[in-house]
């Protein structure tokens, strides 16, 4: 079975629940403070590994306690961390998360996530990447290194999954290197100028992304499920699985990890999206990012 290579961020999440968003200068009493392993790249790696994929992580953390804890957590989830660099001149990335009514507001400190250079990424991918492997990457690492990762993976014959989050404009020549782009409504509007609010606008957005050069397009729609436009122009609509929302942190990452795991397991796009819907439903019913990500056995129990 091909392996999944994740080039992406590793963060320590500092999360607290509040009754509402405080006004400027206001202090509110919060509750349920937790620290948990996060970072979009690490979350996606853990999701793919727990759902049955052979996963390798390419990332950087600081030579500090957070870095130790995050790397150990990946290993416990079954992720190969040989490609995680420990850097002494920068701190591990952190995310401060405010939870209000089941929604999240997040402030990121990139730290070591922006310390990996394009040269590092090039060398690592050429060392471990093989044809038909899957590369998963996002937008929380250095933009130049991220773009190079997609170019190199495409050159080596890997299947590339790009999650442009946080969203930002990318060079035109990047899109033909993207076999599957997965993004939410807000990210979609930034990347192609269309806010997907219903099936018609989802299709318009997906076609615009295809015109830019992307292959398959998957748009996640929160409680409304997900929309897919395959490289064969087949439309796919998958509803969200029933759940009780406790914390949405990591839900999208869990879905993307499922897409990667499904691809290397030989599932169709529709089957992979359905796997993602079930996994994300379990994830949002629990607190934290990586702690909430389910195993394949837990997902199968929902079917």
């Amino acid at each position: 079975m091909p392996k999944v290579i994740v080039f992406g961020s590793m963060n320590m999440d500092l999360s607290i629940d509040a009754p509402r968003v405080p006004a400027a200068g206001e202090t509110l009493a919060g509750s349920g403070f937790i620290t948990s392993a996060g970072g979009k790249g690490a979350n996606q790696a853990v999701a793919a590994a727990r759902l049955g994929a052979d996963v390798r992580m390419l990332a950087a953390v600081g030579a500090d306690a957070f870095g130790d804890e995050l790397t150990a957590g990946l290993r416990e989830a079954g992720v190969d961390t040989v490609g995680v660099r420990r850097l002494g001149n920068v701190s591990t990335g952190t995310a401060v998360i405010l939870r209000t009514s089941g929604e999240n507001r997040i402030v990121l400190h990139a730290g070591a996530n922006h310390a990996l250079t394009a040269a590092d990424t090039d060398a690592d991918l050429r060392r471990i990447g093989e044809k038909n492997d899957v590369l998963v990457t996002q937008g929380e690492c250095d933009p130049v290194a991220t773009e190079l990762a997609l170019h190199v993976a495409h050159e080596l014959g890997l299947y590339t999954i790009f999650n442009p989050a946080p969203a930002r404009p990318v060079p035109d020549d990047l899109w033909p290197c993207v076999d599957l782009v997965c993004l939410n409504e807000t990210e979609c509007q930034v990347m192609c100028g269309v806010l997907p609010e219903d099936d018609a606008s989802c299709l318009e957005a997906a076609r615009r992304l295809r015109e830019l050069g992307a292959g398959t397009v998957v748009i996640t729609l929160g409680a409304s499920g997900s929309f897919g436009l395959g490289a064969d122009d087949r439309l796919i609509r998958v509803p969200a699985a029933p759940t009780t929302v406790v914390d949405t942190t990591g839900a999208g990452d869990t879905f993307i990890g499922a897409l990667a795991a499904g691809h290397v397991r030989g599932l169709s796009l529709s089957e992979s999206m359905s796997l993602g819907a079930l996994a994300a439903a379990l994830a949002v019913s629990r607190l934290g990012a990586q702690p909430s990500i389910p195993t394949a056995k837990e997902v199968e129990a929902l079917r």
Side-chain angles (χ1 to χ4, degrees):
M1 185 171 68
K3 59 185 177 290
V4 174
I5 303 169
V6 179
F7 170 63
S9 56
M10 294 176 63
N11 293 326
M12 182 59 75
D13 290 349
L14 312 176
S15 175
I16 191 167
D17 190 75
R20 57 180 172 80
V21 179
E26 181 184 16
T27 299
L28 292 179
S31 61
F33 175 75
I34 58 172
T35 62
S36 63
K40 297 190 71 63
N43 295 345
Q44 292 167 16
V46 167
R50 287 187 180 156
L51 294 172
D54 174 10
V55 182
R56 315 294 171 86
M57 188 75 198
L58 300 181
V61 294
D64 50 32
F66 283 170
D68 291 341
E69 186 174 342
L70 294 178
T71 305
L74 285 183
R75 286 196 295 267
E76 289 172 9
V79 177
D80 185 312
T81 60
V82 172
V84 177
R85 297 172 187 249
R86 304 295 305 279
L87 306 177
N89 60 343
V90 65
S91 63
T92 297
T94 54
V96 178
I97 303 169
L98 177 66
R99 309 189 307 267
T100 56
S101 303
E103 296 295 331
N104 299 315
R105 288 167 173 80
I106 304 173
V107 179
L108 286 175
H109 168 62
N113 293 317
H114 274 211
L116 282 184
T117 68
D120 296 330
T121 307
D122 189 345
D124 288 343
L125 272 176
R126 293 186 187 281
R127 175 174 50 84
I128 66 172
E130 299 176 296
K131 187 175 181 180
N132 298 324
D133 284 347
V134 172
L135 172 76
V136 180
T137 192
Q138 323 78 30
E140 289 185 343
C141 291
D142 175 69
V144 174
T146 301
E147 292 158 12
L148 181 70
L150 287 164
H151 279 285
V152 171
H154 180 69
E155 174 193 331
L156 295 176
L158 279 68
Y159 185 85
T160 58
I161 298 178
F162 180 39
N163 170 219
R168 59 174 182 79
V170 298
D172 291 344
D173 66 352
L174 187 69
W175 288 111
C177 298
V178 177
D179 292 308
L180 187 158
V181 59
C182 182
L183 63 184
N184 66 21
E185 304 103 305
T186 303
E187 294 152 2
C188 189
Q189 185 175 31
V190 172
M191 301 310 288
C192 72
V194 177
L195 178 64
E197 299 177 296
D198 52 26
D199 284 359
S201 53
C202 281
L203 180 57
E204 180 186 358
R207 284 178 170 165
R208 288 200 185 184
L209 289 164
R210 290 283 303 280
E211 288 169 2
L212 290 170
T216 296
V217 178
V218 176
I219 302 171
T220 57
L221 302 164
S224 297
S226 59
F227 177 96
L229 179 63
D232 57 359
D233 284 334
R234 181 185 173 201
L235 301 181
I236 300 168
R237 197 70 166 82
V238 174
T243 190
T244 299
V245 176
V246 173
D247 180 9
T248 59
T249 308
D253 297 331
T254 300
F255 184 91
I256 291 166
L259 292 182
H263 183 83
V264 297
R265 286 167 49 183
L267 301 184
S268 68
L269 178 62
S270 177
E271 291 169 331
S272 295
M273 290 169 63
S274 295
L275 176 67
L278 292 172
L282 282 170
V284 301
S285 70
R286 307 164 177 171
L287 276 177
Q290 288 172 37
S292 73
I293 297 171
T295 63
K297 183 177 180 179
E298 289 177 308
V299 172
E300 289 303 316
L302 288 183
R303 292 186 184 277

